[in-house]
């Protein structure tokens, strides 16, 4: 077969190709609207910063290189501390939640080469996801004060109730199913 013959075969079977692609697009719509459970993600941002008191001479204190280095090293420690059983159990108790479900829905990321930590919570209930993210930040701040005796973590952005799900993109799902349908139609022809 040369390319001209191949294109002629596809042209003759264009109705079947369109029908198969259309059927797969319909399956994609049914899947994305009926079978995917929407999950919402609420995110709280924390910043490690030295909380130095002003000097007695009245001039403000400055941040030293050692403060920045210390905070950079503490970012990974603090990220691990957030997901400890002590912090998460206290959050579960504070919010009267069921045990064992929190570790799966919480993710902690430290932005590379910065002193930012993000706490993200995914849940089917957007209000609950927001409450959990903010409560984790609060409990974590209390634990840092208890363990280290310093107040070097600050909430930059408290979690807000998300308006749209993070795991559903209807257009993308339909396009993916239509593309799969096109590939199958080509093989079928």
């Amino acid at each position: 077969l040369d390319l001209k013959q191949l294109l002629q075969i596809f042209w003759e079977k264009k109705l079947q190709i369109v029908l198969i692609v259309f059927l797969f697009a319909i399956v994609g719509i049914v899947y994305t609207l009926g079978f995917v459970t929407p999950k919402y993600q609420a995110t709280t941002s924390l910043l490690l910063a030295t909380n130095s008191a002003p000097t007695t001479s009245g001039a403000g204190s400055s941040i030293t290189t050692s403060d920045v280095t210390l905070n950079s090293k503490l970012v990974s420690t603090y990220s691990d501390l957030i997901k400890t059983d002590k912090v998460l159990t206290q959050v579960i108790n504070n919010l009267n939640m069921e045990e064992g479900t929190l570790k799966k829905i919480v993710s902690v990321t430290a932005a590379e080469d910065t002193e930012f930590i993000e706490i993200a919570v995914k849940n089917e209930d957007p209000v609950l996801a927001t409450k959990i993210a903010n409560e984790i930040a609060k409990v974590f701040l209390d634990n840092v004060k208890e363990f280290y005796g310093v107040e070097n973590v600050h909430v930059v952005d408290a979690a807000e109730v998300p308006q749209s799900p993070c795991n559903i993109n209807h257009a993308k799902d339909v396009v993916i199913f239509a593309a799969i349908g096109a590939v199958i139609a080509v093989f079928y022809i």
Side-chain angles (χ1 to χ4, degrees):
L1 288 176
D2 62 4
L3 187 59
K4 186 176 181 181
Q5 287 177 325
L6 191 61
L7 291 175
Q8 185 176 0
I9 291 172
F10 285 135
W11 182 254
E12 290 171 1
K13 306 282 186 174
K14 65 184 175 229
L15 187 61
Q16 291 175 344
I17 293 172
V18 170
L19 183 64
I20 291 171
V21 170
F22 181 73
L23 287 174
F24 270 83
I26 295 295
V27 169
I29 291 170
V30 169
Y31 168 77
T32 191
L33 292 177
F35 293 102
V36 178
T37 304
K39 291 192 178 187
Y40 298 86
Q41 179 171 315
T43 306
T44 300
S45 299
L46 306 175
L47 174 68
L48 274 71
T50 305
N51 193 11
S52 302
T55 59
T56 54
S57 64
S61 61
S62 60
I63 297 174
T64 64
T65 307
S66 63
D67 292 336
V68 173
T69 305
L70 175 64
N71 284 342
S72 295
K73 289 181 180 180
L74 284 175
V75 167
S76 62
T77 303
Y78 283 178
S79 297
D80 291 339
L81 180 62
I82 291 170
K83 290 196 80 165
T84 60
D85 288 335
K86 179 177 172 56
V87 172
L88 296 182
T89 302
Q90 192 171 347
V91 171
I92 289 169
N93 292 337
N94 291 354
L95 296 177
N96 298 322
M97 296 175 57
E98 291 182 26
E99 299 252 353
T101 58
L102 208 50
K103 263 194 178 170
K104 297 174 188 169
I105 63 172
V106 174
S107 64
V108 180
T109 55
E112 193 173 326
D113 296 330
T114 68
E115 297 170 1
F116 272 100
I117 298 174
E118 277 194 353
I119 302 168
V121 177
K122 287 184 183 178
N123 196 304
E124 295 170 10
D125 181 1
V127 175
L128 183 59
T130 305
K131 285 180 183 178
I132 293 170
N134 288 330
E135 187 65 25
I136 289 173
K138 180 180 164 244
V139 170
F140 170 68
L141 292 174
D142 293 340
N143 277 287
V144 167
K145 289 177 196 172
E146 177 187 334
F147 293 142
Y148 290 96
V150 293
E151 293 184 32
N152 64 342
V153 182
H154 307 282
V155 176
V156 176
D157 293 320
E160 295 181 8
V161 178
Q163 300 302 316
S164 60
C166 64
N167 67 330
I168 296 177
N169 184 341
H170 298 300
K172 183 179 101 178
D173 291 343
V174 171
V175 168
I176 288 172
F177 273 89
I180 292 170
V183 170
I184 289 175
V186 167
F187 281 120
Y188 169 73
I189 298 303

